[in-house]
Amino acid sequence: MIVGSNPQLRRRRRADNIFRWLCFSAAALGVVLLITFLTKIFVGGLSRVDWHFITGKLSNRPVKTGLWEAIVGSFYVMILTGLIAVPIGVGAALYLEEFNRKRNRLTNFIQLNISNLAGVPSIVYGLLGLTVFVTWLSLGRSLIAGALTMSLLILPMVIIVTQEALKAVPKSYREGALALGCTPWQAIRRQVLPNAAPGIWTGIILALSRAIGETAPLIVVGAVSYVSATPKSLGDTFTVLPIKIFDWSGESKADFHVAAAGAIIVLILTLLTLNSVAIILRARVAKRLR
Amino acid sequence: MKPWILASALALLISVVGCKPSTDTGTGGTTPAPKGEAKSGGEGGIKPGSVTIDGSGTVYPIASLMAEDFGAANSDITVSVNKAGTGSGFKKFIDGSIDIATASRTIEEKEEADCKAKGVEFIEIPIAYDGISVIVNKDNAFVDKLSTDELKKLYGEDSKAMTWADVRAGWPADKFNLTGPSDNHGTYEFFTEKGLGKKNAIRKEYQAQQEYNTIIQAVEGDKNAIGYLGYSYYADNKDKVKLIPIDGVEPTPETIANGSYKPLGRTLFLYVNKKLADRPEIKKFLEYALSADGLKAVTERQYVLLPERAYEMIKARIAAGKTGSIFRTAPAGKTTVDILDAAK
């Protein structure tokens, strides 16, 4: 029978086509929005991005401003956040996955909390940081208070991705090591961690790129709008890229909006670089585990 | 084995937190202040070699320009400037976490009492004039001027007016939309007190904004919108919104300076913790802020300078270490110079 001559079949084919196009437009919408946004930003800000814009000092004169203090601030926050969150996060994941494979009520409770914490809005972490780090521990509105707050923010994410990476390591690796007389720690250090490492690194990089894009918690914890020098110690005041973007977009002079667009480009390029590193690492681990 | 991991994670957290005392004493080889004073900072925000400023969004453009030029000339001193709003700035000033509070109104009685309770003595420094400017949409042809009574009909707490026609007969019967800064801004407090007659009271239809730029955008995009903000924000956006004279006087640098722009003309202030004003970096910053070079920031961002004699008297007050607010209790209608003269 010829397909085209059967009306019922044709109708079904048509419905199928319509549904496929609906799904396609749903998928395309995101891309279109992203492209529109990127075009607008690049057209507005690309003229502003040059070497001076990256290494020049922050200024309140929009035409001559650079971003140096904000870039350095973002960099410090990222590094400190990593130094704090990664050992704790990886340690927690190792405990939950490797040392405590038999689930009890306590670990289930911890696990449930970690999953829930990953969904807590970032502003809540900011308020927590303000109370605990800024006020109780009297760290003040300082770099270290910001980094500790950011660490709390990305900790659940680090724990969860590390757990996933550990789960992906075949059981036989551990059992083989243990059968040869390794202690659990030796098995983890020599077999499990090296094989899980690229996966863990991917997660860490993605978590850190989230940390440098966050604004709300740092505003609450006290990153400032303008600072005349880069931070020299953990107790110094600081500012970061997203805060400058937020501030400049709120300024009334149009030149500031161009500078904000330029800062967005710098931030996006940084994030793209970080994410590419993460993708490359993931590709490598996929190859190795095959 | 199990507790070992947790213990090490905990130890790391503690060691990181423990870094704090070392940061309080010697920051990057800058002038260390007496240790006792550095510790007195409550939240620890006060550090040697640094000047921290927070408060009014209206004063932010002036303070941040001063900080920038001062920082460029004094690379050993770090100046940070924030704009949480006048009220929020005073809160941080009272708990000792900032050195200088910027304000677009005088300190309040309650804030002054809180300062006293916390042992914070302050020096009040008028730095510039500003005029709160009332703006409407460019295409709004009928609103050419407003009286303070009409302002009350628009914004007043008890006003029943909903359309322009309710405000003045002959205006179209379109609904107006009120906007302006939110209640943590000194501009809001000053406008409600002097413009509407009752401090911090405004009708519930009022759409409050945290950022001044969003006020400009709201008025620019809505034919029936009306808003108010500091003169410099209007001056930056002359082509986008229309300025409205109040009681027959349009705010200009001249009318703001000579006091004829009433009742929305105002003085902007810095409040400095007296205990800290003797610290070399704060002293230096204040000297710079009140010098001819420093005051260029005022005119560069379209604010209005006080008479020269006022700045001389302020410097004398700082040198004499005079504390307390003389502007809060000053009778209405007195000029800055009058008030300073009377306090001599």
Side-chain angles (χ1 to χ4, degrees):
Chain A
M1 186 196 269
I2 303 161
V3 173
S5 64
N6 182 335
Q8 200 193 346
L9 192 57
R10 225 174 16 208
R11 209 168 333 115
R12 285 174 51 206
R13 284 272 158 98
R14 194 159 352 115
D16 178 63
N17 254 334
I18 291 173
F19 185 69
R20 183 212 297 239
W21 281 105
L22 277 178
C23 287
F24 172 76
S25 16
L29 185 68
V31 180
V32 170
L33 285 178
L34 183 69
I35 289 176
T36 320
F37 168 74
L38 284 180
T39 322
K40 188 172 180 301
I41 291 301
F42 272 79
V43 166
L46 202 57
S47 62
R48 200 63 187 73
V49 181
D50 54 19
W51 192 238
H52 170 78
F53 190 60
I54 291 169
T55 60
K57 282 176 74 67
L58 278 178
S59 167
N60 299 289
R61 299 177 178 92
V63 186
K64 63 171 261 201
T65 187
L67 278 175
W68 186 241
E69 284 84 1
I71 290 177
V72 172
S74 276
F75 179 75
Y76 282 167
V77 168
M78 187 181 86
I79 296 294
L80 283 171
T81 303
L83 286 178
I84 299 163
V86 169
I88 300 178
V90 173
L94 277 177
Y95 177 74
L96 290 171
E97 280 305 312
E98 302 295 325
F99 290 105
N100 211 326
R101 312 211 69 155
K102 275 185 257 117
R103 286 301 165 91
N104 57 31
R105 225 174 261 172
L106 175 72
T107 47
N108 276 338
F109 179 70
I110 295 178
Q111 187 72 57
L112 183 72
N113 270 300
I114 291 170
S115 318
N116 279 332
L117 279 176
V120 170
S122 60
I123 186 78
V124 177
Y125 284 98
L127 293 171
L128 179 72
L130 179 67
T131 317
V132 176
F133 301 127
V134 176
T135 312
W136 287 358
L137 296 176
S138 47
L139 294 176
R141 296 176 163 80
S142 61
L143 188 59
I144 186 69
L148 283 168
T149 308
M150 280 305 183
S151 309
L152 290 187
L153 177 75
I154 67 163
L155 200 52
M157 204 171 150
V158 173
I159 295 175
I160 289 168
V161 289
T162 307
Q163 281 185 297
E164 293 305 319
L166 292 173
K167 273 181 201 155
V169 178
K171 224 174 172 184
S172 54
Y173 286 33
R174 295 177 191 89
E175 283 162 356
L178 292 175
L180 292 172
C182 286
T183 62
W185 171 232
Q186 283 171 327
I188 289 168
R189 202 166 55 130
R190 300 280 160 98
Q191 291 300 325
V192 181
L193 271 185
N195 281 296
I200 298 176
W201 278 116
T202 310
I204 290 170
I205 292 169
L206 290 178
L208 288 180
S209 64
R210 174 162 179 217
I212 64 168
E214 273 294 347
T215 323
L218 286 182
I219 291 182
V220 179
V221 176
V224 294
S225 295
Y226 172 77
V227 61
S228 68
T230 54
K232 294 178 191 71
S233 75
L234 294 180
D236 280 359
T237 46
F238 68 107
T239 191
V240 291
L241 274 176
I243 297 228
K244 283 324 292 181
I245 294 170
F246 175 69
D247 266 358
W248 282 342
S249 328
E251 284 277 354
S252 61
K253 275 189 181 174
D255 285 339
F256 273 118
H257 304 164
V258 180
I264 292 174
I265 295 176
V266 173
L267 184 61
I268 286 180
L269 290 181
T270 316
L271 291 176
L272 280 181
T273 317
L274 282 174
N275 290 357
S276 325
V277 173
I279 289 169
I280 292 167
L281 276 177
R282 199 157 48 199
R284 273 185 50 191
V285 71
K287 209 185 276 172
R288 195 182 325 171
L289 279 183
R290 217 177 315 150
Chain B
M1 194 58 87
K2 290 172 202 170
W4 184 83
I5 294 279
L6 275 181
S8 66
L10 217 78
L12 191 108
L13 182 72
I14 290 163
S15 69
V16 166
V17 171
C19 289
K20 187 239 165 185
S22 68
T23 64
D24 246 8
T25 45
T27 42
T30 52
T31 38
K35 225 182 161 184
E37 208 158 84
K39 290 282 180 212
S40 74
E43 280 192 356
I46 294 165
K47 284 172 289 289
S50 74
V51 181
T52 50
I53 305 171
D54 200 347
S56 167
T58 309
V59 190
Y60 174 82
I62 302 178
S64 58
L65 264 192
M66 283 175 173
E68 179 181 337
D69 294 343
F70 177 77
N74 299 276
S75 55
D76 55 335
I77 301 172
T78 305
V79 190
S80 62
V81 190
N82 219 347
K83 45 175 176 180
T86 301
S88 314
F90 274 127
K91 248 183 230 158
K92 293 181 193 174
F93 183 72
I94 291 162
D95 72 24
S97 61
I98 57 170
D99 304 327
I100 299 175
T102 54
S104 56
R105 55 162 171 80
T106 52
I107 192 167
E108 283 172 359
E109 204 174 342
K110 172 154 190 324
E111 289 161 343
E112 204 171 346
D114 289 347
C115 279
K116 203 167 255 171
K118 287 260 185 174
V120 176
E121 283 188 295
F122 59 84
I123 303 174
E124 185 178 50
I125 303 172
I127 194 77
Y129 290 133
D130 176 42
I132 294 179
S133 306
V134 178
I135 51 172
V136 296
N137 189 277
K138 267 266 164 208
D139 298 330
N140 185 330
F142 52 90
V143 181
D144 48 355
K145 56 178 191 271
L146 283 168
S147 66
T148 32
D149 282 340
E150 286 166 336
L151 265 188
K152 277 176 206 161
K153 276 187 197 162
L154 284 160
Y155 283 100
E157 191 186 17
D158 311 315
S159 172
K160 299 272 178 292
M162 294 305 285
T163 68
W164 295 105
D166 298 338
V167 177
R168 192 188 289 177
W171 282 355
D174 295 327
K175 201 176 159 294
F176 55 75
N177 297 316
L178 306 164
T179 185
S182 52
D183 62 4
N184 56 330
H185 288 274
T187 304
Y188 166 84
E189 292 166 294
F190 193 93
F191 180 82
T192 50
E193 184 180 4
K194 307 284 168 154
L196 308 179
K198 193 172 168 202
K199 192 166 186 177
N200 294 339
I202 208 154
R203 59 191 297 180
K204 59 182 192 303
E205 288 86 359
Y206 178 66
Q207 298 272 329
Q209 315 282 354
Q210 169 63 22
E211 298 289 325
Y212 289 104
N213 190 42
T214 41
I215 300 173
I216 297 274
Q217 284 169 354
V219 173
E220 190 188 6
D222 176 1
K223 239 189 102 177
N224 288 307
I226 177 164
Y228 64 90
L229 31 59
Y231 177 76
S232 83
Y233 287 96
Y234 160 72
D236 285 342
N237 293 282
K238 280 182 177 165
D239 52 330
K240 291 185 187 151
V241 292
K242 180 174 154 188
L243 184 64
I244 302 301
I246 302 295
D247 287 340
V249 184
E250 180 171 317
T252 64
E254 292 73 38
T255 58
I256 293 170
N258 65 25
S260 59
Y261 181 62
K262 280 184 287 191
L264 295 177
R266 58 175 173 173
T267 311
L268 307 176
F269 296 93
L270 306 179
Y271 286 85
V272 187
N273 189 329
K274 186 186 176 237
K275 226 186 278 169
L276 308 168
D278 295 332
R279 260 178 33 208
E281 59 271 20
I282 308 264
K283 210 172 185 172
K284 221 167 161 187
F285 179 77
L286 287 181
E287 269 165 26
Y288 175 80
L290 291 167
S291 71
D293 276 344
L295 288 170
K296 275 184 194 152
V298 174
T299 40
E300 183 174 340
R301 286 311 294 269
Q302 321 234 39
Y303 291 84
V304 181
L305 286 170
L306 310 177
E308 210 160 304
R309 211 160 78 76
Y311 290 115
E312 292 310 319
M313 284 191 277
I314 295 157
K315 282 185 221 169
R317 278 180 67 82
I318 298 175
K322 295 241 175 90
T323 58
S325 175
I326 54 170
F327 285 85
R328 180 172 67 75
T329 48
K334 291 262 187 179
T335 69
T336 308
V337 176
D338 287 344
I339 297 170
L340 284 166
D341 263 333
K344 241 185 195 169

